[in-house]
Coordinates of all heavy atoms in Angstrom, one line a residue:
S1 N 0.9 -1.2 0.0 CA 0.0 0.0 0.0 C 0.9 1.2 0.0 O 1.9 1.3 0.7 CB -0.9 0.0 1.3 OG -1.3 1.3 1.6
D2 N 0.5 2.2 -0.8 CA 1.4 3.4 -0.8 C 0.8 4.5 0.1 O 1.2 5.7 0.0 CB 1.7 3.9 -2.2 CG 0.5 4.6 -2.9 OD1 -0.6 4.4 -2.4 OD2 0.7 5.3 -3.9
L3 N -0.2 4.2 1.0 CA -0.5 5.1 2.1 C 0.8 5.3 2.9 O 1.5 4.3 3.2 CB -1.6 4.6 2.9 CG -3.0 4.3 2.2 CD1 -4.1 4.0 3.2 CD2 -3.4 5.6 1.4
E4 N 1.1 6.5 3.4 CA 2.4 6.8 3.9 C 2.9 5.8 5.0 O 4.1 5.4 4.9 CB 2.3 8.2 4.6 CG 2.2 9.3 3.6 CD 0.8 9.8 3.4 OE1 -0.2 9.0 3.6 OE2 0.6 11.0 3.2
R5 N 2.0 5.4 5.9 CA 2.5 4.5 7.0 C 2.9 3.1 6.5 O 3.9 2.6 7.0 CB 1.4 4.4 8.0 CG 0.0 3.9 7.5 CD -1.0 4.2 8.5 NE -2.4 3.7 8.2 CZ -3.3 4.5 7.5 NH1 -3.0 5.7 7.1 NH2 -4.5 4.0 7.3
A6 N 2.3 2.6 5.4 CA 2.7 1.3 4.9 C 3.9 1.5 3.9 O 4.8 0.6 4.0 CB 1.5 0.7 4.1
W7 N 3.9 2.5 3.1 CA 5.0 2.7 2.2 C 6.3 2.9 2.9 O 7.4 2.4 2.5 CB 4.7 3.8 1.2 CG 5.6 3.8 0.0 CD1 6.6 4.7 -0.2 CD2 5.6 2.8 -1.1 NE1 7.3 4.3 -1.4 CE2 6.7 3.2 -1.9 CE3 4.9 1.7 -1.4 CZ2 7.0 2.5 -3.1 CZ3 5.2 1.0 -2.6 CH2 6.2 1.4 -3.4
E8 N 6.2 3.7 4.0 CA 7.4 4.0 4.8 C 7.9 2.7 5.4 O 9.1 2.4 5.4 CB 7.1 5.1 5.8 CG 8.4 5.5 6.6 CD 8.1 6.5 7.7 OE1 6.9 6.9 7.8 OE2 9.0 6.9 8.4
T9 N 7.0 1.9 5.9 CA 7.4 0.6 6.4 C 8.1 -0.3 5.4 O 9.2 -0.9 5.6 CB 6.2 -0.1 7.0 OG1 5.6 0.7 8.0 CG2 6.6 -1.5 7.6
A10 N 7.5 -0.3 4.2 CA 8.1 -1.1 3.1 C 9.5 -0.6 2.7 O 10.4 -1.4 2.4 CB 7.1 -1.1 1.9
E11 N 9.6 0.7 2.7 CA 10.9 1.2 2.3 C 12.0 0.9 3.3 O 13.2 0.6 3.0 CB 10.8 2.7 2.1 CG 10.1 3.1 0.8 CD 10.2 4.6 0.4 OE1 10.0 5.4 1.4 OE2 10.4 4.9 -0.7
I12 N 11.6 1.0 4.6 CA 12.6 0.7 5.7 C 13.0 -0.8 5.6 O 14.2 -1.2 5.7 CB 12.0 1.0 7.1 CG1 11.9 2.5 7.3 CG2 12.8 0.3 8.2 CD1 11.1 2.9 8.5
V13 N 12.0 -1.7 5.3 CA 12.3 -3.1 5.2 C 13.2 -3.3 3.9 O 14.1 -4.1 4.0 CB 11.0 -3.9 5.1 CG1 11.2 -5.3 4.6 CG2 10.3 -3.9 6.4
N14 N 12.9 -2.6 2.9 CA 13.6 -2.9 1.6 C 15.0 -2.3 1.6 O 15.8 -2.7 0.8 CB 12.8 -2.3 0.4 CG 13.1 -3.1 -0.8 OD1 13.3 -4.3 -0.8 ND2 13.1 -2.5 -2.0
A15 N 15.3 -1.4 2.6 CA 16.7 -1.0 2.7 C 17.6 -2.2 3.1 O 18.8 -2.2 2.7 CB 16.8 0.1 3.8
E16 N 17.0 -3.2 3.7 CA 17.7 -4.4 4.0 C 17.5 -5.5 3.0 O 18.5 -6.3 2.6 CB 17.3 -5.0 5.4 CG 17.7 -4.1 6.6 CD 19.2 -4.1 6.9 OE1 19.9 -5.0 6.4 OE2 19.6 -3.1 7.6
C17 N 16.3 -5.6 2.5 CA 16.0 -6.8 1.6 C 16.3 -6.6 0.1 O 16.6 -7.5 -0.6 CB 14.5 -7.1 1.7 SG 14.0 -7.6 3.4
R18 N 16.3 -5.3 -0.3 CA 16.7 -4.9 -1.7 C 16.0 -5.8 -2.7 O 16.6 -6.5 -3.5 CB 18.2 -5.0 -1.8 CG 18.9 -4.1 -0.8 CD 20.4 -4.1 -1.0 NE 21.1 -3.3 0.0 CZ 21.1 -1.9 -0.1 NH1 20.6 -1.3 -1.1 NH2 21.8 -1.3 0.9
K19 N 14.6 -5.7 -2.8 CA 13.8 -6.4 -3.7 C 13.1 -5.4 -4.6 O 12.9 -4.2 -4.2 CB 12.8 -7.3 -3.0 CG 13.4 -8.3 -2.0 CD 14.0 -9.4 -2.8 CE 14.5 -10.5 -1.8 NZ 15.1 -11.7 -2.5
P20 N 12.6 -5.8 -5.8 CA 11.7 -4.9 -6.5 C 10.5 -4.6 -5.6 O 9.9 -5.4 -4.9 CB 11.3 -5.8 -7.7 CG 12.4 -6.8 -7.9 CD 12.8 -7.1 -6.5
I21 N 10.1 -3.3 -5.7 CA 9.0 -2.8 -4.8 C 7.9 -2.2 -5.7 O 8.2 -1.4 -6.6 CB 9.5 -1.9 -3.7 CG1 8.4 -1.5 -2.7 CG2 10.2 -0.7 -4.2 CD1 8.9 -0.9 -1.4
H22 N 6.7 -2.5 -5.4 CA 5.6 -2.0 -6.3 C 4.4 -1.5 -5.4 O 4.2 -2.0 -4.3 CB 5.0 -3.2 -7.1 CG 6.1 -3.9 -7.9 ND1 6.6 -3.4 -9.1 CD2 6.8 -5.0 -7.7 CE1 7.5 -4.2 -9.6 NE2 7.7 -5.2 -8.7
K23 N 3.7 -0.6 -5.9 CA 2.5 0.0 -5.2 C 1.3 -1.0 -5.4 O 1.1 -1.5 -6.5 CB 2.1 1.3 -5.8 CG 3.2 2.4 -5.5 CD 2.8 3.7 -6.1 CE 3.9 4.8 -5.8 NZ 3.5 6.1 -6.3
A24 N 0.6 -1.2 -4.4 CA -0.6 -2.0 -4.4 C -1.8 -1.2 -3.9 O -2.3 -1.3 -2.8 CB -0.4 -3.3 -3.5
P25 N -2.4 -0.4 -4.8 CA -3.5 0.5 -4.4 C -4.8 -0.3 -3.9 O -5.6 0.3 -3.2 CB -3.8 1.4 -5.6 CG -3.2 0.6 -6.7 CD -2.0 -0.2 -6.2
G26 N -4.9 -1.5 -4.3 CA -6.1 -2.3 -3.9 C -6.0 -2.7 -2.4 O -7.0 -3.2 -1.9
L27 N -4.8 -2.5 -1.8 CA -4.6 -2.9 -0.4 C -4.4 -1.7 0.5 O -3.7 -1.8 1.5 CB -3.4 -3.9 -0.4 CG -3.6 -5.2 -1.1 CD1 -2.4 -6.0 -1.1 CD2 -4.8 -6.0 -0.4
Y28 N -5.2 -0.6 0.2 CA -5.3 0.4 1.2 C -6.1 0.0 2.4 O -6.9 -1.0 2.3 CB -6.0 1.7 0.6 CG -5.2 2.4 -0.5 CD1 -5.9 3.3 -1.2 CD2 -3.9 2.2 -0.7 CE1 -5.2 4.0 -2.2 CE2 -3.2 2.9 -1.7 CZ -3.9 3.8 -2.5 OH -3.2 4.5 -3.4
E29 N -5.9 0.6 3.5 CA -6.8 0.4 4.7 C -8.2 0.8 4.3 O -8.4 1.6 3.3 CB -6.3 1.2 5.9 CG -7.1 1.0 7.2 CD -7.2 -0.5 7.6 OE1 -8.1 -1.2 7.0 OE2 -6.5 -0.9 8.5
R30 N -9.2 0.4 5.0 CA -10.6 0.8 4.8 C -10.7 2.3 4.9 O -10.1 2.9 5.8 CB -11.5 0.1 5.8 CG -13.0 0.4 5.6 CD -13.8 -0.5 6.5 NE -15.2 -0.2 6.4 CZ -16.2 -0.8 7.2 NH1 -15.9 -1.8 7.9 NH2 -17.4 -0.4 7.1
N31 N -11.5 2.8 4.0 CA -11.8 4.3 4.1 C -13.0 4.5 5.1 O -14.1 4.1 4.8 CB -12.2 4.8 2.7 CG -12.6 6.2 2.7 OD1 -12.6 6.9 3.7 ND2 -12.8 6.8 1.5
W32 N -12.6 5.0 6.2 CA -13.6 5.2 7.3 C -14.4 6.5 7.2 O -15.2 6.8 8.0 CB -12.9 5.1 8.6 CG -12.4 3.7 9.0 CD1 -11.2 3.3 8.9 CD2 -13.2 2.6 9.3 NE1 -11.1 1.9 9.3 CE2 -12.4 1.5 9.5 CE3 -14.6 2.5 9.6 CZ2 -12.9 0.3 9.9 CZ3 -15.1 1.2 9.9 CH2 -14.2 0.1 10.1
G33 N -14.2 7.3 6.1 CA -15.0 8.5 5.9 C -15.1 9.4 7.1 O -14.1 9.8 7.7
D34 N -16.4 9.7 7.4 CA -16.6 10.6 8.5 C -16.2 10.1 9.9 O -16.2 10.9 10.8 CB -18.1 11.0 8.5 CG -18.6 11.7 7.2 OD1 -17.7 12.2 6.5 OD2 -19.8 11.7 7.0
W35 N -15.9 8.8 10.0 CA -15.5 8.3 11.3 C -14.1 8.5 11.6 O -13.6 8.4 12.7 CB -15.8 6.8 11.3 CG -17.3 6.5 11.3 CD1 -18.3 7.3 11.2 CD2 -17.9 5.2 11.5 NE1 -19.5 6.6 11.2 CE2 -19.3 5.3 11.4 CE3 -17.3 3.9 11.6 CZ2 -20.1 4.2 11.5 CZ3 -18.2 2.8 11.7 CH2 -19.6 3.0 11.6
A36 N -13.3 8.8 10.6 CA -11.8 9.1 10.8 C -11.6 10.2 11.8 O -12.3 11.2 11.8 CB -11.2 9.4 9.4
G37 N -10.7 10.0 12.7 CA -10.4 10.9 13.7 C -11.1 10.6 15.0 O -10.8 11.2 16.1
Q38 N -12.1 9.7 15.0 CA -12.8 9.3 16.2 C -12.0 8.2 16.9 O -11.1 7.6 16.4 CB -14.2 8.9 15.9 CG -15.1 10.0 15.2 CD -16.5 9.5 14.9 OE1 -16.9 8.5 15.4 NE2 -17.1 10.2 14.0
S39 N -12.5 7.9 18.1 CA -11.9 6.8 18.9 C -12.2 5.5 18.1 O -13.3 5.3 17.6 CB -12.5 6.7 20.3 OG -12.1 5.5 20.9
N40 N -11.2 4.6 18.1 CA -11.4 3.2 17.5 C -11.8 2.2 18.5 O -12.0 1.0 18.2 CB -10.2 2.8 16.7 CG -9.0 2.5 17.5 OD1 -9.1 2.3 18.7 ND2 -7.9 2.4 16.8
V41 N -12.0 2.6 19.8 CA -12.4 1.7 20.8 C -13.9 1.3 20.5 O -14.7 2.2 20.3 CB -12.3 2.3 22.2 CG1 -12.9 1.3 23.3 CG2 -10.8 2.6 22.5
D42 N -14.2 0.0 20.4 CA -15.5 -0.5 20.1 C -15.9 -0.1 18.7 O -17.1 0.2 18.4 CB -16.6 0.0 21.1 CG -16.3 -0.5 22.5 OD1 -15.9 -1.7 22.6 OD2 -16.5 0.2 23.5
L43 N -14.9 0.0 17.8 CA -15.2 0.4 16.4 C -16.2 -0.6 15.8 O -16.0 -1.8 15.9 CB -13.9 0.4 15.6 CG -14.0 0.6 14.1 CD1 -14.7 2.0 13.8 CD2 -12.6 0.6 13.5
D44 N -17.2 -0.1 15.1 CA -18.2 -1.0 14.5 C -17.8 -1.3 13.1 O -18.2 -0.6 12.1 CB -19.6 -0.3 14.5 CG -20.7 -1.1 13.9 OD1 -20.5 -2.3 13.6 OD2 -21.8 -0.6 13.7
W45 N -17.1 -2.4 12.9 CA -16.6 -2.8 11.6 C -17.8 -3.1 10.6 O -17.7 -3.0 9.4 CB -15.7 -4.0 11.7 CG -14.3 -3.6 12.0 CD1 -13.8 -3.3 13.2 CD2 -13.2 -3.5 11.1 NE1 -12.5 -3.0 13.1 CE2 -12.1 -3.1 11.8 CE3 -13.1 -3.7 9.7 CZ2 -10.9 -2.9 11.2 CZ3 -11.9 -3.4 9.1 CH2 -10.8 -3.0 9.8

């Protein structure tokens, strides 16, 4: 996923692994829309 938190993780890992790296836009986290920024305790999936 090229959302910042995942892509940064991938780049840190790849500094050691040195593999071809590709974006996977189908694997973004769920878009929580208007719920973003609220507490995730008891989140209604």
Side-chain angles (χ1 to χ4, degrees):
S1 159
D2 72 345
L3 299 187
E4 291 97 327
R5 54 197 185 269
W7 193 255
E8 184 179 2
T9 300
E11 288 189 317
I12 291 171
V13 166
N14 209 32
E16 294 288 344
C17 297
R18 301 185 182 280
K19 303 287 187 180
I21 185 169
H22 308 278
K23 295 178 180 180
L27 294 175
Y28 291 168
E29 183 56 282
R30 183 171 172 181
N31 180 353
W32 290 105
D34 296 343
W35 293 4
Q38 300 178 20
S39 171
N40 68 14
V41 176
D42 298 323
L43 175 59
D44 179 11
W45 276 82

